[in-house]
Amino acid sequence: MSVESNLVSAERRLIDGIPSRRTGDEGTQRQPIVLARSFLRGGLVSGEKAKRPWSHPVSNKVLLIAVVVGALGSAAGAPPIAIVLWGWAFIAWRKRKKEERAALGGAPVAGALEVPDDRQPLADDPRSAWAYRRYCGGLEPAPVSPVLAERILATLQPGDHVELIADAATCAGWQVDTMLKKARPSSGAAIALRTLRGWIVADRKTARITVAPGPLAKGRAVRTADAVTWPVSGLAMELSAPDRPKFTLKVFLDRLNTVDLDILEEGAGAHIRRLPEAPEVPPAPDPDTMTNFEPALPTGLPTDWKAAEEIAQAHMCEIGFSDARLTGAGRDGGIDVTSALGVAQVKMQALPVGAGLVQQLRGSRPDAAHHLFYSTSGYTSAALEAADQTHVGLFTITSSGAVSAVNDMAQGLVRTSGIRSGVYPEGPDLKQWAQELCDRVMTAVNSTDAKRAAHHERYPGQWKRVAGYQLQALKNLDNRPTTFESAKAAVIFYHHNELLAAVYFRELGIPYPGGAGDKVSEELEDFYS
């Protein structure tokens, strides 16, 4: 079975396993999300209090107790106790204020993370770069200080990444109806980050960071009405955290029914353009060393010899002969395209090109560094043998205008590094590497039972969220382009989609690329072995 059919069948099986988000008479109109209250099953913190990289050394409650006890001590005739407690409370309060100022971008305190002022950690870190770029492209993004950004990133667990960043507001208790009417503060008081595994909420004023692992909401999650616009439009939800039992979070969205809302409800699998590297995914190879790459060219039916020559010239420019130009009509000795590093001849004829023309090209310009031959009708076996002996790169031009490398010399010429140095380093074959990547993805998908995998989710509903990543990877690989603008573009495309697929297995604790190995085949021939 071909990889295309494997991808299609796997995609259909995954779609069948994902419950629809619309039921009844909802039609195409999204409805407010109402989620049942649920406790974290095997969550990120396993019932233990999450360790934050930074928090206030002394809470307001402790300071208040110290002041009250000091006052009682003074009233009871024990001034030394009052002086000690009041002094300690004052010092603790001053220390907390210094750390708050540091978190807001002020002078760093002892032991604080040293981050240059010109850095943008959220933009530089691959775990948050895509989400932060989208946030900065919003209507009124508020700045995030480098120190606060570093502390936010320090809360991310290994393997987690940010899906959405938005300005936010919070209040104590579950008060969704009240928060729905709240408008975005002009200063952007809080910032909320939806990650693959939960929420991170950072207060810009107090630098308090709250981590709420789990689903979109622990109680209700309701969006504002469609008629409500910026700066009130958004989504309010009831949450809880290890150090903050009940609170309400409202994230402000530029518009409803947008990508932001889809990310919150379904996950970022269908949209995300940057993922961090994963240890289970092989690193992407160096594009400059890839062989057997055919760049995308302006296509068009070569109706005459002039059109064929223009296609050859464009192809030479794409593979590194940047100064390639047509020689034009005249006594060119059979050379149709020339550059400082090579020459080319183009033939548009009914019969395949023979060995004589190939040898003639080599003999006409023996001092040229590279010799390229383009034919619209292919080559004879004698021409292929002559090209290998004389080191001529053979290319064919199809009726659609696409160019393909015919022999090993032509495949080497498509690499810019080979052209610049005159040496053709042996690197991985791009087509073979891409096929092996698709095979790894399909091996993991075909050996994993989706229904059993759902039992390994970290919180209720996570399986559906991460399944969107795998589904998007299968769609992309199934509809992959036939040509790319560059080898780098091809490598990025395939590597990104493998990272997408690997998210599903990593979050559910399933080995990749081996898969769970618990898939039971339903094919008829498997029962008659």
Side-chain angles (χ1 to χ4, degrees):
M1 185 178 292
S2 65
V3 65
E4 288 82 1
S5 59
N6 277 334
L7 288 170
V8 171
S9 61
E11 179 182 322
R12 288 175 178 172
R13 290 197 300 271
L14 189 58
I15 292 175
D16 293 339
I18 298 179
S20 173
R21 65 181 179 187
R22 298 183 177 90
T23 56
D25 299 328
E26 290 179 333
T28 59
Q29 174 65 34
R30 294 179 184 267
Q31 299 298 317
I33 313 164
V34 180
L35 303 176
R37 295 189 178 97
S38 57
F39 292 99
L40 184 63
R41 293 195 330 221
L44 303 180
V45 295
S46 303
E48 298 177 359
K49 185 172 182 179
K51 183 178 180 181
R52 292 180 291 168
W54 174 86
S55 61
H56 299 327
V58 181
S59 65
N60 288 331
K61 184 181 295 185
V62 174
L63 289 176
L64 180 61
I65 292 175
V67 172
V68 171
V69 172
L72 293 176
S74 177
I81 296 178
I83 293 173
V84 170
L85 288 174
W86 288 342
W88 174 84
F90 177 76
I91 293 173
W93 176 80
R94 286 293 300 273
K95 180 179 179 182
R96 192 178 75 174
K97 285 299 181 183
K98 288 176 65 178
E99 294 203 2
E100 288 177 1
R101 285 196 297 271
L104 294 172
V109 297
L113 296 173
E114 296 291 342
V115 181
D117 291 339
D118 58 347
R119 281 197 59 207
Q120 294 184 322
L122 291 175
D124 298 334
D125 196 300
R127 297 173 297 172
S128 58
W130 178 77
Y132 186 69
R133 180 178 295 184
R134 294 192 67 254
Y135 170 72
C136 292
L139 292 179
E140 295 181 12
V144 181
S145 72
V147 174
L148 183 58
E150 286 285 358
R151 288 169 175 160
I152 290 173
L153 291 171
T155 65
L156 280 174
Q157 290 191 338
D160 198 5
H161 63 263
V162 181
E163 294 187 316
L164 177 73
I165 300 177
D167 290 314
T170 63
C171 72
W174 284 0
Q175 305 180 45
V176 164
D177 297 331
T178 301
M179 291 296 288
L180 278 177
K181 304 174 184 177
K182 187 176 181 62
R184 174 187 178 273
S186 58
S187 60
I191 184 170
L193 296 86
R194 176 63 205 185
T195 76
L196 196 61
R197 301 175 183 174
W199 283 101
I200 298 175
V201 183
D203 193 309
R204 285 187 173 93
K205 293 183 178 180
T206 65
R208 180 182 184 183
I209 296 179
T210 300
V211 178
L216 180 67
K218 291 296 183 67
R220 292 193 304 153
V222 184
R223 65 173 184 170
T224 54
D226 293 339
V228 177
T229 59
W230 176 265
V232 181
S233 58
L235 189 72
M237 61 216 77
E238 299 168 340
L239 294 171
S240 63
D243 60 343
R244 201 172 178 182
K246 282 188 178 183
F247 69 99
T248 303
L249 169 70
K250 180 178 181 180
V251 292
F252 299 96
L253 306 178
D254 295 352
R255 292 171 298 276
L256 295 177
N257 296 319
T258 61
V259 172
D260 289 348
L261 191 60
D262 189 59
I263 291 173
L264 288 175
E265 295 180 2
E266 307 294 336
H271 309 283
I272 195 166
R273 293 294 178 268
R274 180 69 168 96
L275 285 169
E277 295 298 318
E280 64 271 17
V281 175
D286 184 356
D288 291 336
T289 66
M290 302 296 285
T291 62
N292 198 17
F293 168 68
E294 300 172 2
L297 296 173
T299 58
L301 181 65
T303 57
D304 54 28
W305 60 268
K306 182 173 176 55
E309 289 181 358
E310 291 175 348
I311 291 174
Q313 178 200 12
H315 181 261
M316 287 185 66
C317 291
E318 288 288 339
I319 63 176
F321 298 90
S322 57
D323 60 339
R325 60 179 179 83
L326 297 176
T327 58
R331 300 175 60 86
D332 56 12
I335 303 301
D336 299 308
V337 187
T338 182
S339 78
L341 290 175
V343 293
Q345 186 173 2
V346 183
K347 285 297 179 182
M348 186 175 184
Q349 58 187 35
L351 297 176
V353 172
L357 290 176
V358 174
Q359 294 169 342
Q360 180 183 347
L361 169 63
R362 180 72 183 187
S364 63
R365 294 286 182 87
D367 57 337
H370 303 285
H371 298 79
L372 295 79
F373 207 111
Y374 293 85
S375 170
T376 61
S377 55
Y379 303 90
T380 64
S381 57
L384 294 174
E385 184 178 352
D388 291 339
Q389 293 174 354
T390 57
H391 305 290
V392 175
L394 301 182
F395 297 88
T396 58
I397 303 176
T398 67
S399 59
S400 64
V403 179
S404 299
V406 175
N407 61 352
D408 293 339
M409 180 60 64
Q411 293 176 5
L413 286 172
V414 300
R415 292 172 296 169
T416 302
S417 60
I419 294 170
R420 291 172 181 166
S421 63
V423 179
Y424 308 108
E426 291 297 329
D429 183 288
L430 191 146
K431 292 183 178 180
Q432 181 179 353
W433 171 80
Q435 183 63 49
E436 292 174 353
L437 184 149
C438 291
D439 291 342
R440 283 198 300 270
V441 173
M442 293 312 306
T443 297
V445 172
N446 291 332
S447 66
T448 303
D449 185 88
K451 294 181 180 179
R452 294 181 180 180
H455 290 286
H456 299 288
E457 60 185 9
R458 296 171 183 266
Y459 56 82
Q462 193 205 22
W463 179 88
K464 181 180 178 181
R465 196 175 194 92
V466 298
Y469 283 76
Q470 187 187 97
L471 177 61
Q472 188 62 42
L474 294 175
K475 286 182 177 179
N476 293 343
L477 294 175
D478 185 35
N479 300 307
R480 58 190 180 275
T482 56
T483 58
F484 294 87
E485 292 295 330
S486 64
K488 180 179 180 181
V491 169
I492 290 175
F493 172 83
Y494 284 104
H495 185 60
H496 173 74
N497 282 290
E498 185 173 21
L499 289 173
L500 271 179
V503 168
Y504 176 85
F505 300 96
R506 180 178 64 252
E507 291 304 301
L508 299 177
I510 300 172
Y512 180 87
D518 58 358
K519 186 68 171 289
V520 178
S521 176
E522 296 295 334
E523 298 295 333
L524 182 62
E525 58 267 24
D526 292 332
F527 291 92
Y528 289 89
S529 56

